[in-house]
Amino acid sequence: MSAREIRNLILSAMAFGVVALLPFYDTGYILSIATTMAMFTVLATSWALFSGPTHYISLATAAFFGLGTFVTGYGFQTMPYWSLPLIAGVLGAGLAGLVGMVTLRLSGVYFVIFTLGLAELVRQLVTWVQNRTGQRGMYVLTSITERDIYWQLLGMAALVFLVGWLIGRSRLGFALRIIGNDETVAKHSGINTALAKVLLFMVSGAAAAIVGAMLAPRYIYIEPSTAFAPILSFQVVIMALLGGTGRLWGPVAGVIPFTLLWEFISRHAPNQTLLLLGLAFLLIVYVLPGGVVGLQARLKHRFGQGGH
Amino acid sequence: MKRRSLMTTVAAVAVMMGSLGAASAQDAIKLGAAAPKTGPLAGGADVTHWPAVRLWVHQTNEAGGLQLADGPALIELIEYDDQTNPQQAIQAAQRLATQDRVDFMVAPYSTGLNLAAAPIFSQLGYPQITGTNVTNQQPELSAQFPGMFFVLGRTGVMAEDTAQVLVDLRESGDIGNRVALVNVADAFGIEMSGISRAVLEENGFEIVYQTSYPLGTQDIAPIIDGAKAANPDAFIAWSYPGDTFALTDQAIVQDFAPSVFFTAVATAFPSYYGRFGQQAEGVMGMGGVNPDDPAFQAFAEAHQELAGQGPDFWASASTYATLEILGQAIEATGSRDRAVVMEYLQDNSNSYETVLGPVQFNDMNDNERYWTVGQWQDGVFRGVAARGRDGVSDVVLKDGWD
């Protein structure tokens, strides 16, 4: 580990420490926005772990997230609460592994469409089971507060960053970068491309399922139509792309401004929210094609040259 | 564009300054409302929720505002779009409470959004009087959220009453005992179908056809096909707005006309009669009102005038009633202090005069008097079954689609 890496690690740990103190400052409005940010930070970062290096755009976040909320919905009365995110993670990884093995041989737009359909598929499956068993909408009534959820999400974010950092340093991370650049070359170099992709897809699926399990007590009423709402998948992609997927911290740089922008628009133009969001997104893509990460690289490049 | 937005800003500032001047005697009571303006439930909220809320605010302000101990106070309504998204519903409630510092909040639209927002209402001490939340969990919910009140009724009771209508018709020899039962495969449809099936079987009915279909399904023809082939006396569909219209359409196309034709949500919408006209005669659905009640007639007329559309014949009135209840509690205490108003609401001995008739909450914050089944008769959706309400009309048998 180089001195620079140690410095970064210490700085990140300090940043997490500071952010974790937030609930002592405010438990209302700011905490509720911060909880949303924490949720999207985990989702977008774990999404970028897979989609960043491989360039496979996955729209399956809602499928894993919804699965996680249902794990909590079914289990919170009979099982200890701490075990639920774990179970959700295992199931999420399992589903991702299953789906990955079948679909990661697809590439480009075929994969995108399949992942979009996955949320719908899982939703229909859950509904079918509920219909068969006469199960109804679930009420997750607990004493868990927003503050608890916020801390859980922060812990999860730290874990995702750690995993991402480790993967980046490992042979797996190297293999994925090669796959992203040229899959044929990767295959010819003896990399088991299918295995590498499936493993990473499982990491991101597990993370999304865990987030779902953690958020179920916040929503209280769990029904398939809101748990598997496809808009979540798109939000995650938009935020990650806004930040840029080239760096581990990229998605966070998208999540924070996008959540603030969303809140600003919701507050000041309640009748045109979606319209303005769409315009904002067009503008962002036009002005910042490489996301915030790309902007940083461009600035560095420009000022680096100017110095000579 | 630019000039126009500048003009709008100037006008807005002028209005604000004007209202500041007017309100100097007594600050306006700020009322926050977050409900769908976009997303899957925006259509329903546009019929049922928003017009009723705006109408109550408009009428109350026309009448000089609410009478507090230190004089009258006008109401200022602040609206947000929750995008039919629980995440946004939570954030909007939080924003209304802590940023806009509203004095009171209108309960959100639909069961799911009401429950997502419930912890915020509860933590910050806002009464949450719900008008579009149908559930069977009143005991658990009122224990966890003592400031949550239920005006619309219980799902279980509505399913039971619908089955009871069939039982009564059979007792009087009007129909046989063959029933086709279908439902949208969703929490609501599954629950209602289960309860009504149990009641029907208990009473010796024969379920000759039962199926379900996914939410948002496009192809409804096979369902009507199957139901028609089973030749039932009654057709019961626990359906949502889209499929309520589609099932009716398809039944007309295939000329499937059992003596009882029941579709659930949105049958009570004026647009249902607008679409099917005379053919809607005799169709039954959830909800109902007493259209002969002068209070409802006045409400419907004012609704038509302000919103340009009539109220629906079910939850519009209960949404409006939630605000009548809130307003009466504020006036009775003469206070804008939420804790004081909450205490008044939680006192079971208080009762409220509303467009639904008198409303009183039991020890589970539950209103026990409401309409359960309605039927289109002469262009009006009349209540044909109710708990504790006057003016129940007789059921008529459906006589074909022409």
Side-chain angles (χ1 to χ4, degrees):
Chain A
M1 218 188 275
S2 70
R4 200 187 137 146
E5 280 174 334
I6 294 174
R7 192 200 66 184
N8 283 349
L9 209 60
I10 294 173
L11 281 179
S12 315
M14 278 166 63
F16 266 105
V18 171
V19 176
L21 293 178
L22 180 85
F24 296 109
Y25 168 73
D26 179 275
T27 51
Y29 182 59
I30 297 175
L31 181 63
S32 105
I33 294 181
T35 307
T36 305
M37 279 183 188
M39 161 186 147
F40 280 115
T41 297
V42 180
L43 292 177
T45 308
S46 61
W47 178 87
L49 282 186
F50 167 74
S51 293
T54 59
H55 303 148
Y56 278 75
I57 301 287
S58 158
L59 289 174
T61 312
F64 300 118
F65 179 89
L67 183 72
T69 58
F70 270 87
V71 168
T72 302
Y74 277 115
F76 83 102
Q77 278 171 327
T78 49
M79 277 179 266
Y81 180 74
W82 58 263
S83 68
L84 297 171
L86 291 179
I87 297 171
V90 171
L91 287 181
L95 177 67
L98 211 66
V99 170
M101 278 191 283
V102 182
T103 60
L104 282 170
R105 294 164 203 282
L106 302 174
S107 58
V109 73
Y110 302 103
F111 179 76
V112 179
I113 296 297
F114 181 85
T115 54
L116 177 62
L118 183 64
E120 189 60 21
L121 177 74
V122 179
R123 178 165 83 97
Q124 297 296 354
L125 259 174
V126 170
T127 308
W128 180 77
V129 171
Q130 287 193 328
N131 207 15
R132 275 299 168 96
T133 55
Q135 249 277 336
R136 314 156 194 174
M138 285 181 293
Y139 297 80
V140 183
L141 290 169
T142 61
S143 56
I144 293 163
T145 62
E146 194 158 50
R147 195 171 69 165
D148 304 330
I149 295 172
Y150 175 72
W151 278 330
Q152 288 175 23
L153 288 170
L154 270 194
M156 189 58 205
L159 188 68
V160 168
F161 275 108
L162 199 66
V163 168
W165 182 69
L166 289 174
I167 289 177
R169 290 162 52 91
S170 69
R171 285 163 59 92
L172 179 62
F174 188 51
L176 282 165
R177 284 195 293 277
I178 300 174
I179 294 172
N181 284 331
D182 192 325
E183 196 159 341
T184 319
V185 169
K187 258 187 205 151
H188 283 275
S189 322
I191 295 171
N192 186 343
T193 56
L195 181 71
K197 287 187 291 185
V198 170
L199 278 178
L200 249 277
F201 194 51
M202 285 170 73
V203 170
S204 100
I210 292 173
V211 171
M214 288 173 171
L215 274 166
R218 195 178 190 221
Y219 291 175
I220 298 178
Y221 186 64
I222 309 296
E223 53 181 344
S225 60
T226 47
F228 295 99
I231 188 165
L232 182 80
S233 306
F234 289 96
Q235 283 171 316
V236 167
V237 175
I238 289 170
M239 290 186 195
L241 292 183
L242 167 62
T245 56
R247 295 285 168 82
L248 198 52
W249 54 264
V252 188
V255 167
I256 294 172
F258 201 85
T259 312
L260 292 177
L261 178 73
W262 190 299
E263 175 63 22
F264 181 83
I265 291 176
S266 299
R267 178 159 188 199
H268 294 282
N271 293 321
Q272 288 88 25
T273 318
L274 291 183
L275 176 73
L276 289 179
L277 273 174
L279 287 178
F281 185 58
L282 283 180
L283 199 70
I284 288 165
V285 171
Y286 186 72
V287 179
L288 286 177
V292 177
V293 171
L295 180 70
Q296 189 228 18
R298 261 194 342 220
L299 289 178
K300 229 178 189 172
H301 186 65
R302 174 179 293 175
F303 290 114
Q305 275 183 344
H308 282 288
Chain B
M1 265 313 268
K2 227 172 200 163
R3 170 170 300 172
R4 197 165 152 199
S5 66
L6 183 69
M7 296 280 282
T8 324
T9 317
V10 171
V13 170
V15 168
M16 269 165 58
M17 287 170 70
S19 63
L20 276 179
S24 60
Q26 171 76 294
D27 286 337
I29 293 176
K30 280 193 185 178
L31 181 67
K37 288 171 189 256
T38 54
L41 293 183
D46 243 5
V47 172
T48 304
H49 188 84
W50 288 113
V53 172
R54 290 178 193 138
L55 175 63
W56 181 80
V57 171
H58 175 78
Q59 288 179 330
T60 307
N61 284 342
E62 289 278 284
L66 290 177
Q67 303 299 325
L68 301 182
D70 48 359
L74 293 178
I75 293 168
E76 181 194 342
L77 180 65
I78 301 173
E79 294 182 7
Y80 287 129
D81 176 12
D82 65 24
Q83 299 158 24
T84 321
N85 179 336
Q87 187 86 21
Q88 290 295 323
I90 293 167
Q91 224 151 294
Q94 188 64 261
R95 190 189 309 133
L96 284 167
T98 56
Q99 301 302 295
D100 299 307
R101 297 181 182 285
V102 296
D103 296 294
F104 295 94
M105 290 198 273
V106 182
Y109 177 74
S110 86
T111 306
L113 297 173
N114 262 301
L115 287 167
I120 308 281
F121 275 80
S122 168
Q123 276 158 29
L124 303 172
Y126 284 85
Q128 185 177 11
I129 311 171
T130 65
T132 48
N133 174 9
V134 270
T135 170
N136 244 3
Q137 307 285 315
Q138 278 84 346
E140 293 84 352
L141 289 172
S142 60
Q144 177 118 2
F145 308 113
M148 195 173 192
F149 299 86
F150 310 89
V151 176
L152 192 58
R154 284 180 176 242
T155 42
V157 170
M158 297 203 151
E160 279 166 26
D161 276 18
T162 305
Q164 194 59 43
V165 166
L166 298 192
V167 174
D168 293 346
L169 284 174
R170 193 192 53 189
E171 305 286 281
S172 57
D174 288 321
I175 60 171
N177 64 352
R178 298 169 66 83
V179 180
L181 184 63
V182 309
N183 69 280
V184 58
D186 159 277
F188 160 82
I190 295 165
E191 175 167 5
M192 298 307 258
S193 176
I195 299 169
S196 47
R197 187 187 169 112
V199 176
L200 289 171
E201 283 182 338
E202 220 169 88
N203 283 283
F205 276 90
E206 191 187 347
I207 310 291
V208 291
Y209 179 72
Q210 182 172 20
T211 191
S212 68
Y213 52 88
L215 183 61
T217 194
Q218 300 295 322
D219 191 12
I220 229 91
I223 296 164
I224 295 294
D225 255 343
K228 190 181 178 185
N231 193 25
D233 299 300
F235 175 78
I236 309 277
W238 295 106
S239 54
Y240 272 154
D243 22 305
T244 292
F245 280 82
L247 284 165
T248 311
D249 248 341
Q250 199 50 234
I252 293 171
V253 167
Q254 302 198 18
D255 196 28
F256 168 53
S259 302
V260 173
F261 189 86
F262 175 100
T263 45
V265 183
T267 313
F269 284 9
S271 55
Y272 186 87
Y273 201 84
R275 165 88 164 269
F276 299 110
Q278 285 294 315
Q279 293 180 308
E281 286 294 324
V283 173
M284 285 194 246
M286 284 178 93
V289 297
N290 176 3
D292 304 325
D293 179 359
F296 180 79
Q297 286 170 349
F299 166 68
E301 203 172 302
H303 194 288
Q304 176 74 40
E305 199 174 305
L306 190 78
Q309 64 191 39
D312 78 35
F313 293 96
W314 183 23
S316 282
S318 70
T319 302
Y320 185 83
T322 63
L323 290 167
E324 291 184 300
I325 293 167
L326 180 66
Q328 285 165 27
I330 293 172
E331 287 197 324
T333 56
S335 169
R336 66 173 79 213
D337 182 339
R338 279 192 295 283
V340 175
V341 174
M342 182 72 98
E343 201 176 318
Y344 184 87
L345 285 165
Q346 284 166 339
D347 180 349
N348 298 340
S349 64
N350 293 318
S351 97
Y352 311 87
E353 279 312 314
T354 74
V355 62
L356 301 171
V359 169
Q360 193 163 8
F361 295 112
N362 65 13
D363 57 358
M364 284 176 277
N365 295 352
D366 201 10
N367 163 33
E368 289 171 328
R369 284 181 284 183
Y370 48 87
W371 293 94
T372 52
V373 187
Q375 182 175 42
W376 283 103
Q377 296 178 3
D378 299 323
V380 180
F381 195 70
R382 290 179 173 271
V384 292
R387 297 286 167 113
R389 289 286 175 221
D390 296 331
V392 178
S393 303
D394 290 331
V395 179
V396 295
L397 291 181
K398 178 137 186 71
D399 183 20
W401 290 104
D402 304 311

